[in-house]
Amino acid sequence: MCGIVGYVGKKEALPILINGLRRLEYRGYDSAGIVVHSGDKALVVKSVGRIDHLHEKLKGHKISGSVGIAHTRWATHGGVSHENAHPHMDCSGQLILVHNGIIENYRELKKELSSKHSFKSETDTEVLAHLIESYYDGDLRKAVEKALSKVRGTYGLVAMHTQEPNKLVAARLGSPLAIGVGDNEYYIASDTSPMLAHTQQVIFLDDGEIAEVTDKHLQLYTLEDQRVYKQAEHIDWDEAQAEKQGYDHFMLKEIFDQPTVIQDAYRGRLDLENGTAHLGGFNMNEEQLRQINRIVLIACGTASYAAMVGKYAFERLAGIPTEVDVASEFRYRDTIIDEHTLVFAVSQSGETADTIAAVKEAKRKGGVVRGIVNVVGSTIARETDGGTYIHAGPELAVASTKAYTNMVTVLLLYAIQLGRLKRLTIATGERLVKGILEIPDKMKQVLAQSEQIKALAEKYKGYGDFFFLGRGINYPVALEGSLKLKEITYIHSEAYPGGEMKHGPIALLSGEFPVMAIVTKNQLYEKMLSNVEEVRARNAPVILVATEGDEQVKSLATDIMYVPSTMELLEPLINTIPLQLFAYHMAVILGRDVDRPRNLAKSVTVE
Ligand code: F6R
């Protein structure tokens, strides 16, 4: 939540900061602000609303300077207002700060400071600005260090002071910050996307580190004032991946990216000859792997639905009992984890606060914790003792699509690899590997139906409620289809396992409550058809996701979206796509903000 950008170098800071904010807008978009140091002054401009509003407002100002910071906000403390937008300043207006995170003891600190400081906003961040001011005696880094020693909570922050022009101070505890290293210039941001156009050399701050950055040097310290030395890492993602490339929305581009990016998830990791996969991320020898007797998958939202697909795969292929735990529940439960439990944290951003906390808890309990993560260098990637990048590339639409696909793929590969060490035959392993290699072409066949699915969305646009039904491996698909629809269209929708309908939810059904059911030809096909019959008997319109060539379902359906057949365990890689497209087209038809739905942010870095 909230995105931060900073620049210090020789170029004009303003366009770099504005473009950087646009890259980070997915992290929050209720207000934004910017400050550029120019001459001996710092010019602060803020605005409520999107980055476009801020950009418009900036047109009325003459701003030139090569040092600045900027922020896009997702409100936590204090409503959405001009005063609460970042940057925040101290009483003198010389110390200027942007912050992502939560200062938990801000009320106590505010009380202590209030006799000598006056506050303009309701935010915890402004308290931090005044706290730094109270320690400032000409050395910004030292003042920030002292202030942070009094703070409880989380922060990624960047501060500047007009008495020390050409200097930015950045610090991190719990909220990500990366520093892009250019030629006598540095880019600071919440993730690497704002810097990709300028450099691929990046240093990731770890918790408890503070950086002093000028156009001549970058020096890292611990909060205890010890020097830290780090090499920059090379980041493979390039700028083009973060562009819409002619698509109307990032979400549509990311849906259509799937046949390509799935190959990045499995390239070099499949072994057809031995019917297996090779992922280095276990960081365990075969003997240790054989001793794993339980798997726990922790994740939130869409990542948790990808994890559910993983559960089916681990249980079926490797015979290992597997649970999926929503991270926000896992962290507050008496979870049972021991050294034979393999824990996977699944996360696109690698920055989801609940998942990070669950990782820490699982490690404390002695579990073997590995990450399945998209964002390189993110907190979960660094907190876990191994794991695998899913290589989906930058995912910028708030609603996750291609990252889900690549999470499912990597989980399948792990299940095949573990399965081959346990009970999976080489023949079934081979079939799975072949099946995965065929997925990109099958995905393209579904994507080619985008216009038909759009027509379907048009037909159903007037309905206010939807049900999604699936069984077995398609139950998580139903959950994901339902989440996609509700989060970007704001239409009420629910997902149930097909067999569970009659235990209550069926009472809701009527001709006004369309049901989307996944009835592809697998071992539960007949069971699902019976569930669909139950729905039809209540006059609900029925939209089916069915296997190509299946004529039998025609008599049951109001409408059908056909998909190519594949092995049952691989079905989520195909069957989710029509549901993504349905949600996407519906959102466009209803005039929703597809890439930035209301109330949401892409990285949920607060509890
Ligand atoms: C839904 C969506 C969210 C995320 C969830 C976890 O489309 O994107 O439900 O899946 O917030 O985020 P990550 O994967 O970054 O941990």
Side-chain angles (χ1 to χ4, degrees):
M1 316 297 223
C2 303
I4 292 176
V5 201
Y7 174 76
V8 54
K10 301 272 182 260
K11 297 180 190 142
E12 281 297 332
L14 186 66
I16 293 170
L17 296 174
I18 282 289
N19 289 335
L21 280 186
R22 289 196 194 285
R23 291 277 183 256
L24 293 180
E25 200 174 15
Y26 71 85
R27 298 178 67 90
Y29 32 83
D30 56 39
S31 53
I34 202 163
V35 53
V36 173
H37 199 273
S38 159
D40 57 354
K41 286 200 309 283
L43 186 66
V44 177
V45 181
K46 302 186 200 186
S47 122
V48 170
R50 304 288 165 99
I51 310 298
D52 282 343
H53 290 126
L54 179 68
H55 199 191
E56 275 306 305
K57 206 165 170 185
L58 283 163
K59 288 184 182 154
H61 297 268
K62 235 176 151 255
I63 303 176
S64 175
S66 50
V67 187
I69 53 184
H71 186 272
T72 180
R73 181 168 188 247
W74 188 87
T76 54
H77 291 67
V80 178
S81 68
H82 185 271
E83 288 69 33
N84 290 340
H86 297 220
H88 289 286
M89 283 176 279
D90 66 354
C91 299
S92 69
Q94 293 182 302
L95 178 285
I96 304 149
L97 179 72
V98 293
H99 164 229
N100 168 25
I102 292 179
I103 306 301
E104 287 166 8
N105 58 337
Y106 83 102
R107 284 192 192 82
E108 289 154 58
L109 294 169
K110 193 168 186 176
K111 214 162 151 193
E112 284 167 26
L113 292 163
S114 57
S115 59
K116 297 202 181 123
H117 297 257
S118 66
F119 294 86
K120 297 192 174 71
S121 77
E122 304 156 283
T123 64
D124 51 343
T125 304
E126 194 192 0
V127 176
L128 193 53
H130 290 280
L131 188 64
I132 297 170
E133 177 182 26
S134 70
Y135 290 111
Y136 187 75
D137 63 1
D139 186 334
L140 181 60
R141 179 177 60 81
K142 291 261 166 71
V144 172
E145 260 172 39
K146 285 181 190 154
L148 292 179
S149 71
K150 303 284 175 211
V151 155
R152 261 196 340 268
T154 55
Y155 48 79
L157 67 85
V158 187
M160 60 195 276
H161 201 290
T162 53
Q163 285 181 29
E164 297 174 76
N166 294 330
K167 183 188 283 182
L168 297 178
V169 170
R172 161 187 176 147
L173 187 76
S175 299
L177 273 187
I179 304 177
V181 182
D183 195 10
N184 286 328
E185 59 176 5
Y186 295 93
Y187 302 82
I188 305 176
S190 304
D191 72 29
T192 57
S193 55
M195 51 192 83
L196 290 175
H198 312 281
T199 178
Q200 287 175 284
Q201 295 301 112
V202 178
I203 289 176
F204 294 97
L205 286 194
D206 280 311
D207 278 351
E209 286 179 353
I210 182 161
E212 183 180 283
V213 191
T214 71
D215 56 351
K216 303 208 173 43
H217 73 244
L218 158 66
Q219 286 173 350
L220 297 179
Y221 298 82
T222 64
L223 288 178
E224 293 74 36
D225 211 21
Q226 299 297 310
R227 276 297 294 271
V228 175
Y229 297 92
K230 278 186 177 174
Q231 291 292 335
E233 296 173 35
H234 182 84
I235 299 298
D236 270 345
W237 291 4
D238 67 28
E239 174 68 354
Q241 287 178 297
E243 301 287 349
K244 279 191 203 147
Q245 295 172 352
Y247 287 94
D248 287 344
H249 298 96
F250 279 113
M251 184 178 175
L252 189 62
K253 172 192 175 267
E254 288 161 8
I255 291 172
F256 274 81
D257 271 350
Q258 290 175 109
T260 308
V261 297
I262 188 178
Q263 299 178 52
D264 298 332
Y266 64 64
R267 185 172 297 113
R269 293 167 170 174
L270 290 175
D271 175 352
L272 185 57
E273 198 180 333
N274 294 299
T276 190
H278 300 290
L279 293 168
F282 276 125
N283 283 351
M284 280 183 274
N285 61 35
E286 290 196 358
E287 196 39 48
Q288 290 166 316
L289 281 175
R290 284 201 184 88
Q291 286 176 17
I292 296 295
N293 59 17
R294 193 164 147 256
I295 296 175
V296 174
L297 302 165
I298 43 184
C300 301
T302 287
S304 76
Y305 301 147
M308 281 175 77
V309 177
K311 170 186 162 72
Y312 287 92
F314 283 120
E315 292 186 340
R316 191 174 301 173
L317 303 181
I320 303 176
T322 304
E323 289 156 44
V324 178
D325 234 315
V326 169
S328 52
E329 290 296 314
F330 177 93
R331 61 186 291 196
Y332 292 116
R333 238 188 36 244
D334 293 324
T335 38
I336 299 155
I337 301 283
D338 64 24
E339 71 276 19
H340 299 304
T341 310
L342 174 59
V343 179
F344 281 108
V346 188
S347 173
Q348 189 284 129
S349 62
E351 301 296 347
T352 301
D354 285 320
T355 313
I356 294 171
V359 165
K360 290 184 177 159
E361 180 61 14
K363 277 171 79 174
R364 256 193 302 275
K365 290 189 165 160
V368 179
V369 186
R370 304 290 181 255
I372 295 179
V373 173
N374 193 33
V375 176
V376 177
S378 57
T379 304
I380 294 174
R382 296 140 74 77
E383 281 282 337
T384 44
D385 305 314
T388 300
Y389 285 119
I390 62 169
H391 295 311
E395 190 181 63
L396 297 174
V398 163
S400 184
T401 52
K402 62 178 181 172
Y404 161 87
T405 289
N406 279 24
M407 285 168 185
V408 168
T409 306
V410 166
L411 284 159
L412 286 166
L413 299 197
Y414 269 119
I416 294 170
Q417 188 172 346
L418 262 185
R420 290 289 288 125
L421 290 177
K422 299 253 182 187
R423 63 182 199 179
L424 182 63
T425 62
I426 187 164
T428 312
E430 260 177 36
R431 282 181 54 227
L432 281 160
V433 171
K434 275 194 189 139
I436 291 173
L437 291 169
E438 288 167 2
I439 292 291
D441 281 339
K442 293 184 176 176
M443 285 175 156
K444 285 182 195 159
Q445 290 175 41
V446 182
L447 292 170
Q449 298 171 47
S450 182
E451 284 304 308
Q452 287 114 281
I453 295 174
K454 182 176 170 183
L456 215 57
E458 184 66 42
K459 176 173 171 186
Y460 286 92
K461 69 178 180 199
Y463 290 91
D465 306 278
F466 275 83
F467 251 118
F468 285 74
L469 292 185
R471 291 184 85 134
I473 198 78
N474 283 311
Y475 172 44
V477 174
L479 286 164
E480 176 58 5
S482 169
L483 177 61
K484 285 291 90 91
L485 188 71
K486 74 178 82 149
E487 74 178 322
I488 62 168
T489 67
Y490 320 145
I491 293 174
H492 164 237
S493 92
E494 311 213 13
Y496 272 87
E500 190 62 16
M501 274 286 282
K502 54 188 168 296
H503 298 287
I506 202 161
L508 290 170
L509 290 189
S510 71
E512 292 307 306
F513 214 132
V515 175
M516 180 89 79
I518 303 133
V519 294
T520 40
K521 284 210 166 160
N522 58 32
Q523 55 174 329
L524 291 168
Y525 174 68
E526 299 291 344
K527 303 270 172 220
M528 266 307 291
L529 291 191
S530 308
N531 297 140
V532 172
E533 293 281 12
E534 291 157 13
V535 167
R536 274 177 54 83
R538 273 84 198 169
N539 301 320
V542 173
I543 311 164
L544 296 182
V545 175
T547 306
E548 232 164 38
D550 183 352
E551 296 291 319
Q552 191 185 341
V553 290
K554 282 195 168 149
S555 61
L556 292 178
T558 319
D559 288 287
I560 305 181
M561 297 188 273
Y562 278 116
V563 291
S565 75
T566 181
M567 284 177 78
E568 181 169 330
L569 274 179
L570 310 184
E571 282 188 12
L573 294 171
I574 300 293
N575 295 355
T576 311
I577 294 179
L579 307 187
Q580 294 170 343
L581 285 170
F582 185 77
Y584 169 78
H585 287 302
M586 185 70 93
V588 174
I589 289 165
L590 296 178
R592 307 296 190 230
D593 190 341
V594 176
D595 285 336
R596 292 176 180 80
R598 69 185 181 200
N599 304 339
L600 292 172
K602 184 138 187 87
S603 299
V604 186
T605 56
V606 295
E607 239 197 283

